[in-house]
Amino acid sequence: MKTIFVVATLVAFAAASAIPETPRGLNEDLQDFLALVPVDKFVALALDYYQNDKEVQHAFEYLQGEEFSTIWDQLFALKEIKELLKYLHDAGLDVYNWLNVVADVFGLNHVKPVRAVRSIKTGGLSGFLDEALALLPKEEIKALFEDKLKTSPEFKALYEKLRHADFQKLVDFYNNSKEVQSLFAKLREHGIDVDKFVELVAGFFGWGQ
């Protein structure tokens, strides 16, 4: 029964990720990126790991627990996150629907708008992430990203919005949330280099410089 639930969830998330056709704008920009992502392969990979990998099953259970629920609520209570979501929503992206599909999967609180079988898997979380990243056409995504910065004012505005985010607020959130630090510690235990990931993201957007 749990496997059927996970399958239905993955299908629902894949469907929710499809951006409807709209006039020229940020929606169309992101749809161009999504067109490069092999969603069906991601769904099959995730289901395979969920059925056969104990570590991924434990991770799924953690994401349904109280600690992660607290992190989720803390994150989306941040003023900066609320403003970013409002910006994306106002730009025509159905970000609240996407987030609430995830919330329904793990039994989390909904994020509300601001009103104005193959062989047994043994790779664990690190293995799943490595295989998932290997599915992405990195060079094509990079080329499309650079093209969008040159040709789409809406996409460039989004990039600039992220570049000028208040990085110190996120640092304070990390330093003051024992739940976030606990989550990072668990990820490190499973061989996931979260510190390197944070460093790469911060460097990409020039945060903290």
Side-chain angles (χ1 to χ4, degrees), residues 85-102:
L85 293 180
K86 183 178 185 303
Y87 173 84
L88 295 173
H89 182 264
D90 291 345
L93 301 181
D94 199 5
V95 288
Y96 296 104
N97 182 52
W98 304 343
L99 288 169
N100 290 333
V101 168
V102 176

Side-chain angles (χ1 to χ4, degrees), residues 40-54:
D40 55 339
K41 292 182 180 179
F42 270 108
V43 171
L45 179 65
L47 180 58
D48 190 11
Y49 265 84
Y50 177 79
Q51 288 178 319
N52 297 298
D53 190 288
K54 293 295 184 183

Side-chain angles (χ1 to χ4, degrees), residues 3 44-57 117-124:
T3 298
L45 179 65
L47 180 58
D48 190 11
Y49 265 84
Y50 177 79
Q51 288 178 319
N52 297 298
D53 190 288
K54 293 295 184 183
E55 189 174 315
V56 171
Q57 292 169 9
V117 184
R118 297 184 318 187
S119 59
I120 300 299
K121 292 289 186 180
T122 58

Side-chain angles (χ1 to χ4, degrees), residues 19-172:
I19 301 176
E21 292 186 8
T22 61
R24 175 72 239 177
L26 192 56
N27 267 341
E28 191 174 34
D29 291 331
L30 296 187
Q31 184 62 62
D32 290 341
F33 282 99
L34 285 175
L36 296 175
V37 177
V39 176
D40 55 339
K41 292 182 180 179
F42 270 108
V43 171
L45 179 65
L47 180 58
D48 190 11
Y49 265 84
Y50 177 79
Q51 288 178 319
N52 297 298
D53 190 288
K54 293 295 184 183
E55 189 174 315
V56 171
Q57 292 169 9
H58 290 323
F60 191 91
E61 292 174 0
Y62 171 78
L63 294 175
Q64 293 177 301
E66 292 185 7
E67 184 173 85
F68 185 74
S69 178
T70 300
I71 294 173
W72 176 273
D73 291 341
Q74 288 178 342
L75 178 64
F76 291 108
L78 287 175
K79 176 175 177 288
E80 292 72 21
I81 297 298
K82 289 182 177 179
E83 289 178 351
L84 175 59
L85 293 180
K86 183 178 185 303
Y87 173 84
L88 295 173
H89 182 264
D90 291 345
L93 301 181
D94 199 5
V95 288
Y96 296 104
N97 182 52
W98 304 343
L99 288 169
N100 290 333
V101 168
V102 176
D104 288 338
V105 172
F106 299 114
L108 303 168
N109 292 323
H110 273 201
V111 179
K112 298 179 180 179
V114 177
R115 298 187 179 280
V117 184
R118 297 184 318 187
S119 59
I120 300 299
K121 292 289 186 180
T122 58
L125 287 175
S126 182
F128 169 70
L129 291 176
D130 287 343
E131 290 192 43
L133 289 173
L135 292 173
L136 295 175
K138 298 179 181 62
E139 291 302 318
E140 290 92 334
I141 291 175
K142 179 180 178 182
L144 182 59
F145 175 82
E146 293 174 349
D147 178 67
K148 292 298 181 184
L149 285 180
K150 296 177 182 177
T151 61
S152 172
E154 295 85 1
F155 187 80
K156 184 172 177 60
L158 171 61
Y159 176 70
E160 292 298 328
K161 174 78 173 179
L162 294 174
R163 278 194 64 207
H164 293 93
D166 191 344
F167 177 67
Q168 188 58 45
K169 292 287 186 180
L170 296 178
V171 172
D172 292 342

